[in-house]
Each structure stands twice: as structure tokens, then as C-alpha cells.
Amino acid sequence: MADDPEDLPHFNLFSEEFSRCPQAVYREMRAACPVTRAAITESLVLSRYEDVAWALRHPEIFSSAMDLQVALGTERPMIPQQIDPPAQTRYRKLLDPHFSRRKMEALIPSIRANANALIDTFIDAGECEFDEAFAIPLPCTAFLDLLGLPQEDLALFLELKDGIIRPQKAQPDLDFEGAQRVRVESGRRIYRYFERIIEERLREKTPREDLLSSILSAEIDGEKLISTEILDICFLLLLAGLDTVTATLGCNIAYLAANPDQRRRILEHPELLPGAVEELMRWETPVTAVPRLVKREVEVGGTVIAEGELVTLLIGAANTDESHFPEADRVDFERERNIHMAFGAGPHRCLGSHLARMELCAAMEEWHRRIPEYHIKSGETPRYSPGIREVLYLPLVWER
Ligand code: HEM
């Protein structure tokens, strides 16, 4: 007998408490039943590894083409994240080679240099608020390098990104409508910024050797992309490539600050760092979930999900599922076959995963080389944001 979706248990995935320590709630959700409901949004939630992996690999049922535009200040669907295959596949074929491991490796020296330049600004103080001082600016400088945009635009980019993702940061008193207005305005400014840059590039006689120039000259079936397609790709890269790395860096360093034995293992065995980055991505899963729209009725573990339902695929819960990961609750930097889904799975799997891994490894290596012994300032508690788990407040101290 199928369960009635009206009677499913509700879980709050938007509280700060959940965001700080979601693993216990994940366990409850997986145990409760294969399908639950999210409080506030009322979307259905899949939390078991097998179900989430299956849904991610069936975009013809679980579609990414949904009307989230208003919430993100965009005017059209972002490419390729908000469109389904086969149209999405054509864009991925064009973009994938530009994000290959080999291409991304070329960015490592500047990521290291930028990490050190940031550390130089606060190391002598013996303390910093990690998010503001390091985790936010570092991915933004890498993004500007990647696209070939001037580093002088860093402050502008941070302002525009916050305007979309956290409008209340600059204006804490904003109500829902006010926040929405800031999002739409920031969205417009992002479009105008890229329109201007694209026009400038098209006027240049010799193409530059950066990602933006490559996208401008790229072709699908012998045709160049039109300017709105380029804008919709750039908009997504900006939103997808900044907060995700910021959040992951924050979650990783917060974990290591609170677990000195694990931190010492990395210091004593630096070769464990790539495995640690991977395992912390699994355990922390900073991008906890991705949304999908159900295109046709489907049954998951005995619950019938109707066409038109919004479904949250809780990848954080899937990544801590005992039925897939032996001793899932143990954070093991030497875990074998760590096939987590922190970068998603299926056709929409993260385009920037090589870049993200390199940024994380380079940043964490440089940080631990310069500041090996650190801890959370006494009497303080880190503060996590709901949604993407950015550690908004992470006060760290170390010996000068
Ligand atoms: C640790 C950092 C990152 C994490 C955890 C992460 C996570 C994810 C996840 C879970 C998805 C799948 C979304 C879905 O299925 O709907 C995704 C897609 C995507 N990511 Fe990342 N991401 C990270 C960094 C980056 C970076 C640095 C970039 C580029 C500069 C990037 C660009 C993208 C794009 C373009 C997509 C959409 C791909 C598609 O729809 O075909 N990401 N990412």
C-alpha cells in the first residue's frame, strides 16, 4: 500500500540549529520513511542514498526546469542548471572542456598567491573572522582570474553576489518584499556588467586566453552562442562558483578547529589532505540539497509522488546513509571508495568540481602551512546560515 503524501512527517531544514549540525536530523529522516516533507516550503524530501542517486539520474522525471527565477533575481533560466537534457547536454559538451582538471591546474599558482596575500593581512593579529577575512574573498579572486576579469572588480562582485544570495546582510531590516527588490536590482546589475564586458571583448581584435573569450568564440552545431545565452551562463557561474566554495572552506575549517586530533593528522601527514577534503565534503555536504520538479507521477519507496510536486533531494542525508557508506558517522580521511554526491550526480553534476577541489586543497594547504595551530575563540560559537551551510561567523585565534 502506498503512503499518503498528505500524512508525511515534517522536518525543518531551514533552522540555524539544523544547519550547524544536520547529521542527526538526516538520520531521523532516513529512518522515518523514504519520503518526508520539509516544513515551510512543504516540498517533498528524498533522503536515502539510493533514492537521491536515482532521482538525480532521471531528469525526465525529476526536472531542473522550474520557476525559481524570481527568487534568484534572474530574468531567464540559468544555463545549464535550470534546463533539462537534451538541451542541457549540448551546453555541457561546450563547457566541460573549459573546466577540465588540466585547465584548472593552471589556476593553482594564483590561488596560492591570493590565499597568502589574504593571510598576510591578518596573520600578525593572531585572530580573524574566517568567513569575512578568507572564505568569502578567496573564491571570488579565483573566479575573476578564471573568467579573465580585473581583480579591481572584487568588491563589486562581492556586493552583487550578496545582493542576490543574502540581501539582508547589508540591510538587516529588509522584509521579504524588500529583499526581493534588492535581488532583482542586483540581478539587473549583474546582467548589465556582463553585457558591457562582452561588448568590450567582441570589439577586441585579438581574442584573450581566458574562459570568457573561449565562451564567446564557442559554437554549438556550427553556431556561436547568442548574447543572452552567454549572460545566462555567466550569471550561473557567478552564483554557483562563489558561495559553494566559501561554505565548504568554512565548514572544513570549523570542523578542524573543533576536532584538533583530526587537524593534527593533516599536519603530521599532509598527504592526507586531498582525502580529508573529500571526506569533509561527504560529512559536511555544504550544499545540502538540490530542488527538482516532478514531471510525471512516480512511486518512491511506496509513496506516490504526483506530477507537479516540488521535491528536495537531500544530498547531505544521502552522503551519510549507512546503507551506502560503512561507518557513515565516522569521519575517516582514508575512506576508500568515497563516492559521495556533494557535487551532485547525473547530468547536472557540478561543472566546477575540479576547480573547487583545487581551490579547497590549495587554500587549506596554504592555511595550515602558515597557521597550523588554531582554535575557535573561547566563549564564541560559530554561526551557520540556513540553506547552503556557510559559516557566517567563525572567530578563530592562534599564537602570534
Ligand atoms: C565546493 C564547491 C562546490 C560545490 C559543493 C558544488 C556543488 C554543486 C552541486 C551539488 C551541483 C548540482 C546541482 C543540481 O543538480 O541541481 C552543482 C552544479 C553546478 N556547479 Fe557546482 N559546486 C561547487 C563549486 C563550483 C564551482 C567553483 C563552479 C564554477 C566556477 C561550479 C559550477 C557549477 C555549475 C555551472 C553547475 C550546473 C551544472 C549543470 O547544471 O549542468 N560549482 N554544483
Side-chain angles (χ1 to χ4, degrees):
M1 246 273 283
D3 288 331
D4 182 351
E6 297 304 317
D7 303 331
L8 296 172
H10 282 61
F11 289 87
N12 185 353
L13 309 178
F14 298 98
S15 69
E16 207 223 309
E17 198 187 334
F18 168 79
S19 216
R20 186 172 338 114
C21 190
Q23 294 85 359
V25 182
Y26 291 153
R27 196 175 316 119
E28 261 183 77
M29 294 179 82
R30 286 190 308 266
C33 58
V35 184
T36 50
R37 266 200 198 275
I40 305 171
T41 64
E42 287 295 317
S43 86
L44 295 172
V45 184
L46 304 191
S47 48
R48 295 180 181 176
Y49 188 95
E50 204 186 329
D51 297 335
V52 172
W54 189 81
L56 286 170
R57 293 192 170 93
H58 286 83
E60 72 289 1
I61 303 174
F62 294 92
S63 165
S64 296
M66 62 192 81
D67 195 12
L68 287 181
Q69 283 91 307
V70 180
L72 290 170
T74 45
E75 293 167 11
R76 295 172 298 273
M78 290 187 288
I79 296 177
Q81 197 175 5
Q82 293 182 322
I83 48 176
D84 291 329
Q88 181 259 4
T89 319
R90 294 163 68 232
Y91 290 112
R92 281 302 292 254
K93 276 199 183 139
L94 180 150
L95 290 168
D96 280 341
H98 298 293
F99 284 84
S100 67
R101 191 190 300 265
R102 194 179 52 77
K103 286 244 165 103
M104 295 302 105
E105 265 165 10
L107 296 172
I108 295 180
S110 72
I111 295 172
R112 285 191 194 282
N114 289 330
N116 278 300
L118 288 170
I119 294 171
D120 286 343
T121 63
F122 52 71
I123 189 166
D124 291 339
E127 65 177 295
C128 79
E129 194 289 291
F130 185 76
D131 202 38
E132 203 66 42
F134 193 74
I136 293 178
L138 189 71
C140 211
T141 56
F143 178 80
L144 294 170
D145 274 344
L146 171 75
L147 278 181
L149 301 171
Q151 287 293 336
E152 300 83 76
D153 289 352
L154 178 66
L156 172 68
F157 266 77
L158 292 175
E159 184 198 330
L160 294 178
K161 171 186 83 89
D162 276 339
I164 297 274
I165 295 175
R166 304 191 201 294
Q168 275 96 347
K169 193 169 171 183
Q171 304 175 59
D173 297 336
L174 278 183
D175 59 9
F176 181 80
E177 278 80 28
Q180 206 44 44
R181 272 197 303 278
V182 174
R183 279 201 180 93
V184 171
E185 180 52 26
S186 306
R188 267 199 212 111
R189 289 176 64 199
I190 293 174
Y191 285 123
R192 297 303 87 87
Y193 175 89
F194 280 113
E195 270 165 9
R196 179 175 61 74
I197 297 277
I198 290 167
E199 273 171 29
E200 279 172 18
R201 289 295 170 95
L202 289 173
R203 275 201 301 272
E204 286 174 3
K205 298 256 172 349
T206 342
R208 299 192 202 184
E209 301 230 336
D210 55 38
L211 179 62
L212 193 55
S213 304
S214 306
I215 296 176
L216 283 170
S217 58
E219 292 181 354
I220 295 185
D221 300 334
E223 304 241 352
K224 285 217 164 77
L225 297 178
I226 58 171
S227 63
T228 48
E229 288 175 305
I230 296 170
L231 284 176
D232 298 337
I233 292 172
C234 290
F235 204 115
L236 173 60
L237 291 178
L238 175 72
L239 291 196
L242 301 187
D243 264 40
T244 49
V245 183
T246 296
T248 309
L249 270 173
C251 286
N252 289 2
I253 296 293
Y255 173 89
L256 293 170
N259 293 274
D261 292 350
Q262 296 275 50
R263 180 172 53 78
R264 268 180 222 118
R265 289 204 71 212
I266 294 182
L267 296 179
E268 283 158 18
H269 303 280
E271 71 283 2
L272 291 182
L273 191 83
V277 165
E278 235 32 66
E279 177 67 343
L280 288 173
M281 290 214 59
R282 178 190 76 82
W283 177 246
E284 297 287 337
T285 310
V287 178
T288 53
V290 295
R292 293 292 189 265
L293 186 67
V294 172
K295 283 284 183 200
R296 61 173 150 89
E297 190 181 279
V298 60
E299 192 178 317
V300 179
T303 303
V304 174
I305 303 181
E307 180 187 330
E309 283 273 13
L310 200 60
V311 174
T312 297
L313 305 178
L314 202 54
I315 47 185
N319 279 345
T320 46
D321 188 341
E322 282 282 351
S323 70
H324 187 83
F325 296 95
E327 292 190 85
D329 283 349
R330 199 160 71 87
V331 178
D332 175 4
F333 295 162
E334 291 172 88
R335 183 176 288 279
E336 283 173 21
R337 285 191 48 73
N338 193 354
I339 316 290
H340 63 71
M341 293 190 285
F343 287 117
H348 288 279
R349 191 183 177 284
C350 181
L351 174 69
S353 63
H354 294 306
L355 173 59
R357 284 189 168 115
M358 275 165 212
E359 281 185 57
L360 292 167
C361 285
M364 287 178 63
E365 240 171 70
E366 295 306 322
W367 177 275
H368 287 99
R369 191 173 62 75
R370 309 260 327 256
I371 308 176
E373 302 291 338
Y374 54 94
H375 54 267
I376 293 164
K377 197 170 185 175
S378 107
E380 302 274 11
T381 311
R383 196 159 45 78
Y384 288 70
S385 70
I388 292 187
R389 298 179 59 221
E390 180 174 340
V391 193
L392 296 171
Y393 181 62
L394 180 55
L396 297 177
V397 288
W398 54 87
E399 287 290 310
R400 274 185 280 171

